[in-house]
Amino acid sequence: MLRTSSSVLKPICEKVEAGERLSLEDGLVLEGPDAPLNEVGELANFVRERKNGNFAYYNINTHLNPTNVCVYRCIFCAFRSDLRDPKGYFMSDEQVLARGAEAVENGCTEMHIVGGLHHQMKYEAYLNVIRLLHETYPELHLKAWTPVEIDWFCRLANQSVREVLEDMREAGLGSLPGGGAEIFHPEVRNQICEHKADARRWFEVHRTAHELGLRSNCTMLYGHIEQPYHRIDHLLRLRELQDETGGFQTFIPLAFHPENTGLANVKKPTSLVDLRTMAVSRLMLDNVPHLKAYWIMLGLGTAQVALSYGADDIDGTVRHELIYHDAGATTPEVLCVEEIRRIITEAGREPVERDTLYRRIERDGAHWQAGAAISAGA
Ligand code: V47
């Protein structure tokens, strides 16, 4: 039986216990000062447990950013480079393959591939990254490209979203990561990334991917210029597509890191804001099976606490992460498996290695195979 000391939380508490859907107004209450954080967290923890029991998932993964050169200038991004900046790069085939080799040697099951929109590179160059890696390392799941990149490829190739996704899938694309979502509401989006794919296009790409049988993730970048209303609106838009397709696997709230960005004057969200955003996300997104506490951006301590505030996943061991580290993240570059398992166990959860598609991984020495699919409860 869920209890609350707060009169504003009581009706929400009853809804959560009965498995009823929360409204926009409920979301704003959960975000508000009258909703004690620990009680919001308890509600989210109840939902987490109902969906995922005591399990907390992780994977062994690596990142690849084939280029940092980008035609866009999103104000929150510290990773991008101008075309003629000495730090600008586009990886050669050899560099890409070396990363694939390193990933396989380290037991990775997933490579997370995203980057900039290079002024001069052709569509074929991006397709080549996927094809090359898939042909050489077919066991590596390639979770690649945000809708912002897919939209750019459509323009380069003069093709539809469906055609580009079909090309990519044929080349070896396994699923789509959740990036590029930022905040969907135009009041915010037009100020932080006005030129790139808008909310309509972002959803078109994910809807089409789901129709093609590809799974994907979704994110929200919070803690910059947005207000609670924009965050709840964002979550409700995601919930609506999920009702339609069921293709999202996990939601990742991404805390803004201001260093080296055009918003360097903004204060980084505190752990309390991180935990509330995590919990509210769990409560509003009742139809997304998993919620990720991305330790790279939260820090290890907050990620551990987040496992009692709605999160059931902590992402992976990670290697070569640049987007957050360029923006001032002080978390380690990589965690070993023992460390990630220890962090989860210490938080009172049972660590389970999963692959990108949420199947249990079974390992025998250097060999691994994906076992049964993990199914989340209602
Ligand atoms: O889209 C960029 C965000 C995203 C900053 O799908 C920033 O499993 C904070 O989407 N401060 C990319 N955030 C990362 C991403 C992701 C991460 C982990 C797992 C998955 C998944 C996806 O990072 C971007 C943008 O929203 N971002 N710059 C910054 N300065």
Side-chain angles (χ1 to χ4, degrees):
M1 173 83 178
L2 286 165
R3 281 177 209 283
T4 173
S5 63
S6 147
S7 58
V8 294
L9 276 187
K10 199 158 184 300
I12 296 180
C13 209
E14 285 166 5
K15 279 191 184 178
V16 169
E17 198 155 32
E20 283 172 30
R21 182 154 270 196
L22 302 185
S23 65
L24 171 72
E25 292 70 28
D26 293 330
L28 292 174
V29 168
L30 291 167
E31 285 270 8
D34 295 331
L37 174 61
N38 62 326
E39 294 189 6
V40 175
E42 230 169 276
L43 288 180
N45 195 40
F46 173 83
V47 174
R48 174 201 61 72
E49 198 167 334
R50 192 164 56 192
K51 284 192 183 293
N52 289 293
N54 203 39
F55 298 126
Y57 304 102
Y58 69 94
N59 70 353
I60 303 188
N61 63 345
T62 185
H63 286 220
L64 179 81
N65 307 117
T67 180
N68 61 351
V69 174
C70 194
V71 296
Y72 294 143
R73 291 171 172 274
C74 300
I75 195 167
F76 55 80
C77 181
F79 166 71
R80 75 165 295 282
S81 167
D82 284 333
L83 181 60
R84 284 175 230 299
D85 191 316
K87 83 164 187 169
Y89 67 83
F90 195 103
M91 283 184 167
S92 65
D93 288 0
E94 291 69 33
Q95 287 171 315
V96 167
L97 284 174
R99 285 295 192 79
E102 182 197 49
V104 169
E105 270 162 34
N106 283 287
C108 292
T109 59
E110 169 190 289
M111 188 177 264
H112 178 159
I113 308 173
V114 290
L117 314 174
H118 195 287
H119 307 57
Q120 294 169 339
M121 300 312 289
K122 303 258 186 312
Y123 174 48
E124 194 51 41
Y126 296 92
L127 209 46
N128 180 55
V129 170
I130 302 297
R131 193 178 293 123
L132 202 59
L133 282 166
H134 183 65
E135 279 175 6
T136 319
Y137 304 107
E139 67 273 47
L140 208 51
H141 180 105
L142 305 178
K143 180 179 80 175
W145 315 132
T146 69
V148 180
E149 288 155 306
I150 299 292
D151 174 58
W152 182 249
F153 303 157
C154 289
R155 292 195 234 174
L156 291 179
N158 199 18
Q159 290 186 171
S160 67
V161 167
R162 183 172 291 266
E163 286 165 340
V164 165
L165 287 173
E166 280 172 346
D167 285 351
M168 287 288 172
R169 186 173 60 175
E170 209 177 291
L173 177 79
S175 65
L176 263 58
E182 325 315 356
I183 288 283
F184 293 130
H185 200 291
E187 276 168 15
V188 176
R189 202 169 184 87
N190 291 341
Q191 290 188 64
I192 62 170
C193 53
E194 64 171 329
H195 297 296
K196 77 181 187 188
D198 62 7
R200 191 195 52 78
R201 191 67 162 164
W202 193 97
F203 279 101
E204 183 190 347
V205 171
H206 280 268
R207 182 182 287 107
T208 309
H210 298 170
E211 284 167 5
L212 291 173
L214 290 164
R215 310 303 299 274
S216 70
N217 296 339
C218 47
T219 61
M220 172 174 76
L221 178 66
Y222 68 91
H224 42 92
I225 61 164
E226 90 290 357
Q227 295 299 313
Y229 170 77
H230 301 122
R231 293 196 288 270
I232 302 297
D233 171 75
H234 188 97
L235 297 172
L236 293 185
R237 291 182 197 222
L238 291 170
R239 190 169 81 180
E240 203 179 313
L241 180 63
Q242 183 72 341
D243 275 345
E244 219 183 285
T245 66
F248 290 129
Q249 309 188 101
T250 182
F251 174 71
I252 311 119
L254 297 169
F256 177 55
H257 279 49
E259 225 175 273
N260 306 320
T261 75
L263 292 169
N265 57 324
V266 169
K267 288 259 173 292
K268 188 169 171 285
T270 62
S271 292
L272 297 191
V273 172
D274 292 336
L275 292 173
R276 187 179 292 268
T277 309
M278 193 66 69
V280 172
S281 302
R282 180 63 289 167
L283 292 166
M284 298 308 296
L285 284 178
D286 55 9
N287 52 3
V288 175
H290 302 285
L291 178 64
K292 218 184 250 191
Y294 186 36
W295 63 265
I296 289 269
M297 60 117 198
L298 289 174
L300 297 174
T302 306
Q304 282 184 306
V305 182
L307 293 176
S308 294
Y309 275 73
D312 62 281
D313 191 297
I314 137 162
D315 199 72
T317 46
V318 188
R319 200 173 273 277
H320 300 297
E321 199 288 326
L322 293 179
I323 295 174
Y324 277 86
H325 287 98
D326 282 358
T330 53
T331 39
E333 295 281 343
V334 59
L335 285 183
C336 63
V337 174
E338 292 70 33
E339 184 66 355
I340 211 162
R341 292 182 72 91
R342 184 187 68 79
I343 282 163
I344 293 172
T345 311
E346 212 177 80
R349 305 276 165 257
E350 187 181 327
V352 176
E353 185 186 345
R354 59 158 178 89
D355 70 359
T356 312
L357 302 176
Y358 284 86
R359 291 173 299 195
R360 272 177 186 264
I361 291 290
E362 283 142 23
R363 287 191 185 261
D364 181 11
H367 300 284
W368 57 266
Q369 62 173 32
I374 291 155
S375 66

